[in-house]
Amino acid sequence: GAGVSQSPRYKVAKRGQDVALRCDPISGHVSLFWYQQALGQGPEFLTYFQNEAQLDKSGLPSDRFFAERPEGSVSTLKIQRTQQEDSAVYLCASSLAGLAAEQFFGPGTRLTVL
Amino acid sequence: AQSVTQLGSHVSVSEGALVLLRCNYSSSVPPYLFWYVQYPNQGLQLLLKYTSAATLVKGINGFEAEFKKSETSFHLTKPSAHMSDAAEYFCAVRAYGNNRLAFGKGNQVVVIP
């Protein structure tokens, strides 16, 4: 079956622009996660949804970062007034419910802020 | 908060030799532990996971890992490296009662023919 998909795969933005990154999770997965992966580093947690509810947003680095999942399926991560330090790969993952459930990752969106 | 330590960002191994990637975790309660592999321009793929069942966990592609509570370790091994094992490997921990994964910095594995 189809895995997690993300779009766009690559995004170049000028500093100060707003960007929106999309994640299509695996059908039926109630949990959805966003991670940020800087060059040469492991992924860092940003935020977590269970269905449409955002249960944990403690990893969002600033109030310029905003995520939503209005119908409990597709999610969008929005970054306002992008800065160079926002350049990273943004990974989306989805899973069934349960703490031991495997998180399935998408290919990521590589954001470069000039 | 839980965290993971992976030492040695780059690991070189000869084809056919043992692959050993070390992972130590800190967690206030027994955790769930995971190893993921990442190929260039791809997302992370689960290799194996420990969820408090057997301490020796077997995963895909011939990899296995052993949970040692006394050493707070979850090292990943493969008896014989293959060229296709060249990739980046991440250890991750998920504390009980917490949904997020905390990742180590990763090991870039290079396989030498």
Side-chain angles (χ1 to χ4, degrees), chain A residues 17-38:
Chain A
Q17 284 185 331
D18 298 347
V19 298
L21 312 181
R22 177 187 169 104
C23 173
D24 284 79
I26 293 172
S27 178
H29 280 191
V30 299
S31 298
L32 186 144
F33 304 82
W34 283 98
Y35 294 86
Q36 180 191 57
Q37 186 176 20

Side-chain angles (χ1 to χ4, degrees), chain A residues 79-101:
Chain A
I79 308 174
Q80 297 177 326
R81 305 181 302 283
T82 53
Q83 303 295 315
Q84 285 190 322
E85 60 263 29
D86 301 334
S87 295
V89 175
Y90 291 85
L91 296 168
C92 175
S94 70
S95 76
L96 297 170
L99 291 175

Side-chain angles (χ1 to χ4, degrees), chain A residues 21-85:
Chain A
L21 312 181
R22 177 187 169 104
C23 173
D24 284 79
I26 293 172
S27 178
H29 280 191
V30 299
S31 298
L32 186 144
F33 304 82
W34 283 98
Y35 294 86
Q36 180 191 57
Q37 186 176 20
L39 188 64
Q41 301 295 317
E44 296 276 348
F45 170 81
L46 292 176
T47 187
Y48 158 64
F49 290 85
Q50 184 171 308
N51 296 308
E52 69 278 4
Q54 189 174 19
L55 299 185
D56 187 351
K57 56 181 180 179
S58 61
L60 297 177
S62 78
D63 58 7
R64 296 187 295 105
F65 287 70
F66 172 76
E68 60 183 6
R69 193 186 185 197
E71 297 180 358
S73 179
V74 171
S75 178
T76 304
L77 176 67
K78 298 180 180 179
I79 308 174
Q80 297 177 326
R81 305 181 302 283
T82 53
Q83 303 295 315
Q84 285 190 322
E85 60 263 29

